[in-house]
Amino acid sequence: MVNLLDFDEAAMSAFFAERGQRPFHARQALRWIHHGLVDSVDAMTDLAKATRAALASEVEIRAPSVVRDTTAADGTRKWLLDVGGANAIEAVYIPEDDRGTLCVSSQAGCALDCAFCSTGKQGFNRNLSAGEIIGQLWHANRALVADGVAAPWIAQGRHPITNVVMMGMGEPLANFESVVTAMRIMLDDNGYGLSRRRVTLSTSGLVPSIDRLRNECPVALAVSLHAANDALRDVLVPINRKYPLRELLDACLRYIERAPRDFVTFEYVMLDGVNDSPHQALELTALVRDVPCKLNLIPFNPFPGTEFRTSSRSRILAFQHALQDAGLVATIRKTRGEDIDAACGQLAGQVQDRTKRRWQRIHSIVTPT
Ligand code: SAH
Ligand code: SF4
């Protein structure tokens, strides 16, 4: 079966053209799926009955299935989604007064192995398809509508999700084709119709792919900096050994020429005693001086087995003030959903973890030590 969630407008038109259908019908289908959030061709009532019957025999509209659906005390909601082969991914809904944000995963696991990241510790399993990526948005909107979630913009006929951040599991630029296909559907007026400013991609700094994104699908960009010199960043974010800071900052400058916003967001995870000293704040100020940017300080979210600790509130505030005194815009990211392990860097696809634990248990029984 062909999954229609995999198709952006170009792919849908090609698929329809091969079956003698006009591009107009492909756009109608996109609209039914992503505006109307339908899950069957039968529901596409403005396509001819014969067309629907022919399509139904070879296509499906299928998002990854839900393994677990948890809601935190603060309303943050996390879906654990099965993508087959013992792999699971997570999508997180973050409700706020003026928006509904979905944090979307791009890979099962991640190969880049940043020292402080739970996803990285899991290793890389595989890239998600475009359908598995856009399927997270499709599913979240459907689930929230079905549950009758209320917000002023929903009353006006818009979807519950108004903003997407590609900040879930995985490095989105390491799965470029599928991520860009999914983002095109997010931006398409026949898709979700989100403005480029409301779709943010976060990267650990794959320089050539930042340039490619600039040319092919510029959206709001967040860059995971986490250290102000190469020696420390080499250890915290190992991809820095391949694309060091100067090259990364130059790519950011090039990106801003085409970006929907006139700045880049730098993310900086606050690790106690590692990157949070007053001296390091000054070093960071000097580093980003020439780049139009906003800094987003992320209190480190611990996970089992990590050796890092979160910087104290007073240390984070002192760091923020040092940046602000130097004229930079620096905010502290509010931690959301930590009681359900839904905060930044805590997503780890726990079906697989459970499977691993089970294997370890079985192993310890059959090979007693
Ligand atoms: N792979 C991409 C996007 C996913 S992570 C990237 O690295 O940018 C989104 C953000 O959460 C990144 O800035 C990442 O460095 C940060 N992060 C990872 N682990 C974290 C943790 N344990 N606590 C807080 N932030 C973390
Ligand atoms: Fe991968 Fe991002 Fe985690 Fe680094 S922080 S291991 S790039 S998901």
Side-chain angles (χ1 to χ4, degrees):
M1 282 288 205
V2 172
N3 190 353
L4 292 185
L5 287 180
D6 278 318
F7 294 159
D8 61 6
E9 190 192 335
M12 190 77 84
S13 295
F15 183 81
F16 271 61
E18 280 162 23
R19 281 148 191 81
Q21 300 286 335
R22 304 211 317 273
F24 170 69
H25 292 126
R27 287 197 290 276
Q28 277 177 317
L30 268 179
R31 231 183 147 73
W32 277 111
I33 298 168
H34 300 292
H35 261 245
L37 304 171
V38 305
D39 64 356
S40 89
V41 174
D42 260 356
M44 302 180 183
T45 46
D46 51 7
L47 295 185
K49 243 191 164 138
T51 310
R52 277 184 270 157
L55 279 175
S57 65
E58 59 170 332
V59 306
E60 60 182 354
I61 301 165
R62 191 167 55 84
S65 58
V66 178
V67 181
R68 203 163 50 228
D69 176 352
T70 336
T71 302
D74 67 5
T76 301
R77 184 166 172 185
K78 181 170 86 166
W79 291 279
L80 181 67
L81 302 166
D82 183 4
V83 290
N87 289 318
I89 53 151
E90 297 181 316
V92 179
Y93 164 63
I94 305 145
E96 287 173 278
D97 290 344
D98 60 343
R99 71 185 73 182
T101 302
L102 190 71
C103 179
V104 168
S105 293
S106 57
Q107 300 180 307
C110 182
L112 299 186
D113 199 21
C114 299
F116 47 81
C117 174
S118 166
T119 307
K121 293 296 135 214
Q122 175 189 125
F124 176 67
N125 296 309
R126 71 167 173 85
N127 279 331
L128 299 185
S129 65
E132 288 167 336
I133 298 170
I134 203 69
Q136 297 169 57
L137 179 55
W138 181 81
H139 165 74
N141 274 321
R142 273 168 63 94
L144 294 166
V145 168
D147 291 352
V149 166
W153 58 91
I154 303 175
Q156 292 161 14
R158 286 167 62 199
H159 287 145
I161 305 290
T162 60
N163 292 57
V164 172
V165 292
M166 299 298 304
M167 291 187 187
M169 294 166 67
E171 165 52 52
L173 292 184
N175 183 14
F176 193 91
E177 299 287 346
S178 297
V179 164
V180 164
T181 299
M183 292 198 309
R184 287 210 174 102
I185 302 171
M186 294 174 199
L187 303 174
D188 191 337
D189 281 340
N190 291 307
Y192 295 86
L194 300 180
S195 84
R196 288 179 189 279
R197 305 158 70 94
R198 288 179 177 269
V199 177
T200 302
L201 182 144
S202 173
T203 179
S204 56
L206 303 189
V207 166
S209 303
I210 293 175
D211 285 324
R212 208 175 149 200
L213 189 69
R214 164 190 187 270
N215 296 331
E216 294 185 24
C217 191
V219 293
L221 185 68
V223 173
S224 295
L225 214 50
H226 307 319
N229 63 63
D230 283 319
L232 182 57
R233 195 163 189 272
D234 279 352
V235 183
L236 294 180
V237 185
I239 194 68
N240 193 68
R241 295 178 205 151
K242 194 160 179 193
Y243 305 114
L245 280 166
R246 192 61 255 166
E247 286 181 31
L248 178 57
L249 296 180
D250 286 344
C252 291
L253 285 169
R254 291 192 293 277
Y255 194 87
I256 290 168
E257 294 166 6
R258 298 264 180 94
R261 294 179 182 275
D262 54 7
F263 62 90
V264 164
T265 301
F266 287 127
E267 295 158 289
Y268 194 97
V269 64
M270 299 299 296
L271 303 167
D272 184 43
V274 174
N275 67 354
D276 64 347
S277 74
H279 168 73
Q280 285 161 323
L282 293 180
E283 201 182 5
L284 180 58
T285 305
L287 179 76
V288 302
R289 198 176 24 223
D290 301 332
V291 185
C293 67
K294 292 187 181 175
L295 283 130
N296 196 213
L297 307 178
I298 315 176
F300 170 66
N301 294 305
F303 52 89
T306 182
E307 59 277 29
F308 292 104
R309 281 170 300 141
T310 315
S311 307
S312 68
R313 192 74 195 166
S314 61
R315 226 164 142 83
I316 297 177
L317 285 170
F319 200 89
Q320 179 191 31
H321 291 149
L323 300 174
Q324 288 172 337
D325 288 348
L328 293 169
V329 177
T331 51
I332 300 172
R333 187 175 295 175
K334 198 161 175 276
T335 301
R336 299 286 305 253
E338 72 267 40
D339 51 335
I340 57 163
D341 288 343
C344 301
Q346 291 186 320
L347 308 183
Q350 280 152 12
V351 152
Q352 214 227 9
D353 283 0
R354 260 210 323 258
T355 311
K356 263 195 209 147
R357 274 205 299 278
R358 193 170 307 138
W359 262 113
Q360 282 159 359
R361 260 204 320 274
I362 293 170
H363 206 68
S364 68
I365 293 166
V366 295
T367 52
T369 46

